Amino acid sequence: MCLCVCCKCANSCASVFPESPRWLIATSQISQAKKCLQSFSARNGMCVSDELYPAETLLSELDEVFPEDILPEYHHVVELRHTRVIWKNCLILGFTLFIGTGIQYCFTRNLHIYSPHFYFSYFLRVLTGALACIFLCVSVDRFGRRGILLLAAIVTGLSSLLLLALTQYLHGGLVLVLSVVGLLSSQALAMLSVFFGSEVMPTVVRGGTLGLIMAAGCVGMAASSLMELQNNGGYFLHHVIFASFAVLSVLCIMLLPESKHKPLPDSLKDGERQRRPPLFLSRINRDNPPLLRMQPQSSEYNRDNYSRLVTATKKMLTTDALPYKISISPQAPLLASNGTVPDANEDSS
């Protein structure tokens, strides 16, 4: 009875939260990927009845790329110790998320002076979080992930340094503005670190690496909660450490690659090929333009038609009985055995 209930729960969860076909293909689980793609096509109504072999047309490219006897390849987070670029990106993004979550207490502590109610800082944190999300939605796709992450780290570091050094010399309004701006930039830094990690990490280890990055963020939130439990004991040291880390993160972000308008890496080799873009983009010398400029020709290749042709050819080659039989009509030889042309009268007789 319990087994039947577990099977029903598993089937219902699989229907609501299906497995990722990209991860299944990246780990060479071809049979599960085919079932998942067929279920997607059936739910979306993509299988038209008048098409030629609609199910095989959808999966013909998988049959061409992957052999039938391929074994699945599973990867673990432990394999990151053999990599160089992926481990570096995971460490930098975990470090930035740790800073973005841990330094928020340095800004919210200054907000308790302006309101006697304890929930004022929490509501302000939620409001700045929503504004940070809107800011990322507007700017990240236009200016790039790496540039906005660098901007958020710079603003966070400058706000924390100014509050650390000039709090007793600044006006109360300026302290409030710096606290709100620092809180906004730190939340944008934390959100973009998770979003950036989901694009930079390869598909085969994306879940494990995102778990490591999120764990670093939880450590930062635990540091802020620990400061509240100790009644601000050691707050100055906490502020100095996180302000120094924010300045250090600016240098670390420069080592990250840019994922804007680039395909997601699937294997560990794809993740190792990612390189950071140069600081200054080189421009083509306008004084020496090329004599001939190649114009890209439009290709008439259609993937759907090619896959249908491949599927139909496979069916024709695997069938035993051919639909028609080729017959050759006997004809008289053009030349006789002695090299003379036969007479037309003899042929008619």
Side-chain angles (χ1 to χ4, degrees):
M1 182 67 182
C2 295
L3 183 61
C4 295
V5 173
C6 293
C7 292
K8 291 181 180 179
C9 292
N11 294 329
S12 62
C13 292
S15 61
V16 177
F17 301 102
E19 191 57 75
S20 171
R22 190 183 190 96
W23 179 77
L24 293 174
I25 295 175
T27 54
S28 301
Q29 304 181 47
I30 307 304
S31 58
Q32 291 85 350
K34 289 181 179 179
K35 293 178 182 179
C36 189
L37 291 175
Q38 286 177 349
S39 64
F40 285 170
S41 62
R43 291 180 182 180
N44 295 331
M46 298 301 295
C47 295
V48 187
S49 59
D50 56 352
E51 290 183 354
L52 179 62
Y53 310 117
E56 296 186 6
T57 302
L58 180 64
L59 307 174
S60 59
E61 294 184 1
L62 292 178
D63 297 334
E64 290 293 327
V65 176
F66 298 97
E68 296 180 356
D69 55 347
I70 189 172
L71 297 177
E73 298 179 358
Y74 300 100
H75 299 271
H76 304 280
V77 185
V78 186
E79 299 181 13
L80 293 181
R81 59 190 177 92
H82 300 294
T83 61
R84 186 168 58 97
V85 179
I86 302 175
W87 175 253
K88 177 195 66 177
N89 297 336
C90 181
L91 184 62
I92 293 174
L93 291 173
F95 182 59
T96 55
L97 182 59
F98 168 73
I99 295 169
T101 54
I103 204 173
Q104 292 180 10
Y105 180 76
C106 302
F107 303 117
T108 55
R109 183 180 177 272
N110 298 323
L111 301 176
H112 296 290
I113 307 173
Y114 302 96
S115 178
H117 303 287
F118 69 94
Y119 50 81
F120 173 73
S121 60
Y122 297 99
F123 285 151
L124 187 59
R125 181 180 294 184
V126 172
L127 179 61
T128 53
L131 293 177
C133 184
I134 295 173
F135 170 72
L136 293 179
C137 293
V138 173
S139 61
V140 164
D141 196 27
R142 183 176 181 180
F143 299 102
R145 284 77 165 142
R146 181 170 169 261
I148 300 300
L149 188 66
L150 183 62
L151 177 63
I154 291 174
V155 175
T156 302
L158 287 178
S159 301
S160 61
L161 289 176
L162 290 176
L163 289 175
L164 181 63
L166 304 175
T167 301
Q168 56 184 353
Y169 303 106
L170 293 177
H171 191 266
L174 293 177
V175 175
L176 179 61
V177 169
L178 286 177
S179 300
V180 173
V181 171
L183 185 61
L184 176 66
S185 61
S186 62
Q187 290 191 352
L189 182 67
M191 292 180 188
L192 189 53
S193 298
V194 180
F195 177 71
F196 202 3
S198 63
E199 288 188 349
V200 173
M201 295 296 111
T203 304
V204 292
V205 290
R206 182 168 295 137
T209 51
L210 280 180
L212 292 177
I213 295 173
M214 295 295 293
C218 292
V219 172
M221 289 187 290
S224 300
S225 302
L226 185 62
M227 293 299 301
E228 293 181 354
L229 291 176
Q230 292 181 352
N231 294 325
N232 298 327
Y235 166 74
F236 181 77
L237 181 60
H238 178 271
H239 200 165
V240 169
I241 292 175
F242 276 93
S244 304
F245 283 169
V247 176
L248 182 60
S249 66
V250 175
L251 302 177
C252 296
I253 292 173
M254 302 299 294
L255 302 177
L256 291 174
E258 178 58 58
S259 60
K260 178 183 176 182
H261 299 311
K262 291 183 180 180
L264 297 178
D266 289 330
S267 61
L268 295 178
K269 294 182 179 179
D270 296 338
E272 286 293 306
R273 294 193 188 102
Q274 292 180 338
R275 295 293 183 268
R276 63 178 181 86
L279 294 178
F280 303 99
L281 298 178
S282 60
R283 297 181 179 180
I284 302 176
N285 191 3
R286 298 179 180 179
D287 296 333
N288 299 319
L291 297 179
L292 297 177
R293 179 171 296 179
M294 300 298 296
Q295 296 290 338
Q297 297 180 358
S298 59
S299 176
E300 298 181 357
Y301 170 74
N302 193 346
R303 182 179 297 178
D304 296 335
N305 295 336
Y306 179 75
S307 59
R308 294 174 185 176
L309 178 61
V310 170
T311 307
T313 307
K314 280 186 178 181
K315 285 291 182 179
M316 293 177 62
L317 293 177
T318 53
T319 52
D320 297 333
L322 295 176
Y324 56 88
K325 183 177 181 182
I326 301 174
S327 60
I328 302 175
S329 59
Q331 295 180 0
L334 298 179
L335 296 177
S337 60
N338 56 357
T340 58
V341 180
D343 194 1
N345 296 328
E346 294 179 359
D347 294 340
S348 60
S349 64

